[in-house]
């Protein structure tokens, strides 16, 4: 278990906190590009900072502080111009670098500048960097760049600290119980039959590599040559879960503030040969709660979110009792502390990319290629009665 002080150290994401400063060394997803086509001015909160993302009439992207420097109106009500974002109150206009470029009525435009951060679009997502300059390169992860893919984005806002999602990502054994046993229980209570056949975890292991940590598992009934044991799938440091199987995907776990996290599911499928390229990456909502606040827990992502949020806004790790199955969680926390120490020495932490040669044409890594058959293959008598929710 951690002390209360250690738990605060790992969960606080604001400027000036150890983890908050570490997270500011990385690019974070702030929107789907299609969302700016629907609404070109979008207020958002990232790492505890209130900001406004916008796209100008000429297509330039900007991310600036939320409040106009004149009278403090939210720039979330701003009007996109060719040269920036115009405040709705008195027309002061901010370019993408945060500089005031127009002050209607005033005899001269004062040399004022609000907070502003770099933003880039890649693979249908908008990324922002809130750290010190010079900014590192935006990582060209394979799914964001490769041709011949159809991509899809789903978003959910969850009411808990980002570390609860990351602890879950480093815990292979929960799949056996949360998704197989509990998932079947939920489905049976709603008359939908069983989705999975639980299989016992025989062993788990973890491997640190240059971009993060691979997690591997061997299930009862699976051969040691199965790729979920020989390969596994990685957590890309600090907050991305990469998965293979039927649909390759990323989950970006973006810290909004200490008690809120935004999850982006980014899924890619290979397009049939000869298909036209995808012009727009659609953005949808990952439904996880009903109108009464209860969780939609009849599918894997909903069960994960139930487990994250069900620990409270910030899990009290001073009361946890970790066991042998939690060695991945302990490893992740160790790596997190090691990267904080590197940052404090003035070094780049794990996965920060500055050499263009490492980024081109894209960054790829091993993934498992098959789903967990011991979980996902239902018994023959269950095939007809339990339609898949995956």
């Amino acid at each position: 278990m951690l002390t209360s002080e250690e738990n605060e150290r790992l969960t606080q994401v604001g400027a000036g906190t150890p983890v908050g400063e570490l997270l500011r060394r990385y690019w974070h997803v702030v929107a789907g590009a299609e969302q700016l086509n629907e609404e070109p001015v979008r207020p958002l909160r990232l790492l505890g900072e209130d900001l406004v993302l916008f796209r100008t009439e000429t297509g330039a992207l900007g991310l600036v502080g939320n409040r106009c420097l004149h009278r403090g109106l939210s720039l979330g009500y701003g009007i996109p111009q060719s040269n920036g974002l115009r405040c709705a109150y008195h027309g002061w206009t901010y370019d993408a670098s945060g500089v005031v470029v127009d002050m209607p009525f005033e005899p001269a435009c004062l040399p004022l500048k609000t907070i502003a951060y770099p933003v880039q679009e890649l693979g249908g997502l908008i990324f922002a960097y809130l750290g010190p300059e010079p900014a590192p390169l935006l990582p060209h992860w394979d799914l964001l760049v490769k041709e011949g893919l159809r991509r899809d984005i789903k978003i959910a806002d969850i009411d808990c600290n980002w570390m609860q999602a990351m602890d879950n990502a480093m815990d292979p054994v929960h799949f056996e119980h949360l998704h197989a046993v509990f998932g079947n229980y939920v489905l049976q209570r709603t008359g939908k039959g069983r989705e999975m056949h639980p299989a016992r975890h025989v062993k788990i292991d973890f491997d640190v590599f240059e971009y993060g940590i691979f997690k591997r598992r061997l299930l009862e009934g699976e051969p040691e040559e199965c790729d979920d044991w020989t390969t596994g799938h990685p957590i890309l440091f600090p907050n991305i879960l990469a998965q293979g199987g039927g649909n390759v995907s990323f989950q970006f776990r973006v810290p909004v503030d200490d008690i809120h996290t935004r999850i982006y599911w980014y899924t890619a499928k290979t397009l049939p040969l000869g298909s036209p390229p995808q012009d727009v990456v659609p953005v949808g909502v990952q439904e996880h709660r009903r109108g009464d606040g209860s969780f939609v827990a009849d599918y894997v992502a909903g069960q994960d979110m139930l487990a994250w949020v069900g620990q409270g806004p910030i899990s009290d790790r001073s009361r946890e009792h970790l066991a042998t199955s939690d060695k991945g969680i302990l490893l992740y926390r160790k790596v997190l502390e090691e990267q904080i120490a590197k940052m404090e020495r003035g070094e780049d932490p794990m996965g920060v990319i500055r050499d263009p040669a490492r980024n081109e044409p894209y960054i790829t890594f091993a993934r498992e290629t098959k789903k967990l058959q011991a979980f996902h293959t239902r018994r023959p008598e269950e095939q007809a009665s339990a339609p898949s929710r995956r």
Side-chain angles (χ1 to χ4, degrees):
M1 67 179 67
L2 301 177
T3 66
S4 296
E5 292 74 19
E6 288 170 335
N7 195 40
E8 286 185 4
R9 175 179 170 85
L10 292 182
T11 55
Q12 293 178 344
V13 301
T17 65
V19 167
E21 289 302 312
L22 177 66
L23 291 171
R24 282 166 170 77
R25 269 59 180 180
Y26 297 88
W27 290 84
H28 297 280
V29 182
V30 290
E34 179 61 14
Q35 291 180 289
L36 284 180
N37 293 334
E38 298 167 0
E39 173 50 66
V41 182
R42 304 188 70 88
L44 61 90
R45 190 166 169 82
L46 177 63
L47 299 178
E49 297 190 35
D50 291 314
L51 305 166
V52 174
L53 175 68
F54 65 93
R55 179 180 279 151
T56 69
E57 292 177 330
T58 60
L61 294 170
L63 182 66
V64 297
N66 181 54
R67 300 292 176 185
C68 178
L69 297 177
H70 181 203
R71 298 278 296 281
L73 180 67
S74 170
L75 291 174
Y77 300 107
I79 308 164
Q81 308 289 296
S82 62
N83 62 341
L85 184 65
R86 184 178 296 278
C87 179
Y89 206 0
H90 298 94
W92 287 24
T93 302
Y94 300 80
D95 69 12
S97 66
V99 173
V100 180
V101 293
D102 188 23
M103 290 182 179
F105 184 76
E106 301 304 321
C109 188
L110 299 176
L112 296 178
K113 184 180 186 299
T114 191
I115 190 169
Y117 295 113
V119 281
Q120 291 187 35
E121 180 176 344
L122 185 65
L125 292 169
I126 308 295
F127 292 83
Y129 174 75
L130 273 59
E133 296 289 348
L137 298 174
L138 172 62
H140 285 188
W141 302 121
D142 50 8
L143 299 189
L144 303 176
V145 177
K146 288 177 69 174
E147 297 181 356
L149 297 178
R150 174 170 177 78
R151 300 169 172 89
D152 181 77
I153 301 165
K154 291 287 192 301
I155 303 174
D157 290 311
I158 59 171
D159 299 330
C160 70
N161 184 264
W162 75 291
M163 278 289 291
Q164 278 143 248
M166 297 313 299
D167 281 350
N168 182 86
M170 298 304 303
D171 169 21
V173 177
H174 84 271
F175 209 106
E176 176 182 341
H177 301 279
L178 178 66
H179 300 313
V181 177
F182 176 72
N184 284 344
Y185 169 74
V186 170
L187 289 168
Q188 287 174 318
R189 285 183 58 83
T190 54
K192 298 173 182 173
R194 295 176 63 182
E195 175 79 0
M196 297 185 188
H197 173 60
R200 184 177 66 86
H201 281 72
V202 176
K203 54 185 176 180
I204 60 174
D205 212 345
F206 304 86
D207 304 299
V208 177
F209 74 118
E210 64 177 320
Y211 297 116
I213 304 171
F214 273 96
K215 64 175 181 179
R216 301 183 287 115
R217 79 181 101 211
L218 182 65
L219 301 174
E220 190 172 49
E222 296 276 12
E224 295 222 1
E225 296 77 25
C226 70
D227 61 6
D228 205 54
W229 176 244
T230 59
T231 303
H233 55 270
I235 284 76
L236 304 176
F237 198 83
N239 62 334
I240 306 171
L241 173 64
Q243 293 179 299
N247 295 332
V248 286
S249 66
F250 290 135
Q251 283 184 35
F252 298 88
R253 285 83 179 271
V254 180
V256 174
D257 54 31
D258 291 350
I259 58 173
H260 300 96
T261 305
R262 178 165 288 175
I263 312 295
Y264 293 84
W265 284 265
Y266 188 88
T267 305
K269 296 181 181 179
T270 301
L271 286 167
L273 191 64
S275 299
Q278 184 183 26
D279 293 327
V280 175
V281 181
V283 180
V285 175
Q286 185 76 63
E287 300 290 352
H288 65 286
R289 280 193 160 176
R290 302 182 182 88
D292 62 2
S294 62
F295 280 87
V296 180
D298 59 356
Y299 72 113
V300 167
Q303 294 151 12
D304 278 329
M305 288 183 276
L306 178 153
W308 306 340
V309 177
Q311 298 173 53
I314 301 178
S315 182
D316 184 356
R317 293 174 179 80
S318 69
R319 303 180 66 180
E320 69 185 4
H321 294 81
L322 298 185
T324 56
S325 64
D326 299 309
K327 64 180 184 178
I329 294 173
L330 291 170
L331 175 61
Y332 179 79
R333 295 176 188 175
K334 176 176 178 287
V335 171
L336 195 60
E337 289 287 3
E338 289 172 348
Q339 304 316 306
I340 292 171
K342 288 182 68 175
M343 173 196 69
E344 291 175 343
R345 293 195 300 266
E347 303 171 22
D348 280 334
M350 170 184 284
V352 169
I353 299 168
R354 298 192 184 276
D355 179 4
R358 291 179 61 194
N359 219 20
E360 299 297 339
Y362 50 77
I363 304 167
T364 193
F365 42 83
R367 288 181 177 87
E368 79 280 26
T369 59
K370 297 180 181 179
K371 292 184 178 180
L372 301 172
Q373 295 301 315
F375 281 132
H376 290 278
T377 302
R378 283 177 266 131
R379 295 172 180 174
E381 65 270 19
E382 296 170 333
Q383 295 291 332
S385 61
S388 175
R389 298 280 300 180
R390 293 299 303 274

